[in-house]
Amino acid sequence: MHELIIDRNFIKEQAEIKQEENDAFRTYLKSLNSDELDGKVHAINDVVAPQIDCTACGACCRQLMINVTEEEKNKVATVLQI
């Protein structure tokens, strides 16, 4: 397994350097059957998600769209008393 890179500045820099490669990959992904693609994404998520401590910085919440489960929503609401 590869080391998980979490440095957002490095990721942004690499995304800019590899723009053409990323565009080609996006095109490839769009050609896949949606069920097959979902399966691949979920498999990757199952490996990556446990390696991320979301309490470390919270940047994803500020910069990306995140998915929150009903259970997570209720926990946050309880903590915030809303």
Side-chain angles (χ1 to χ4, degrees), residues 21-63:
E21 181 180 342
N22 290 336
D23 290 342
F25 184 59
R26 228 176 264 107
T27 299
Y28 163 73
L29 291 176
K30 289 179 182 181
S31 75
L32 295 177
N33 169 297
S34 63
D35 290 335
E36 180 183 15
L37 179 58
D38 284 350
K40 290 177 188 271
V41 169
H42 287 289
I44 293 168
N45 182 68
D46 291 345
V47 173
V48 173
Q51 298 180 60
I52 300 172
D53 177 6
C54 289
T55 63
C57 73
C60 293
C61 296
R62 290 190 301 272
Q63 297 174 342

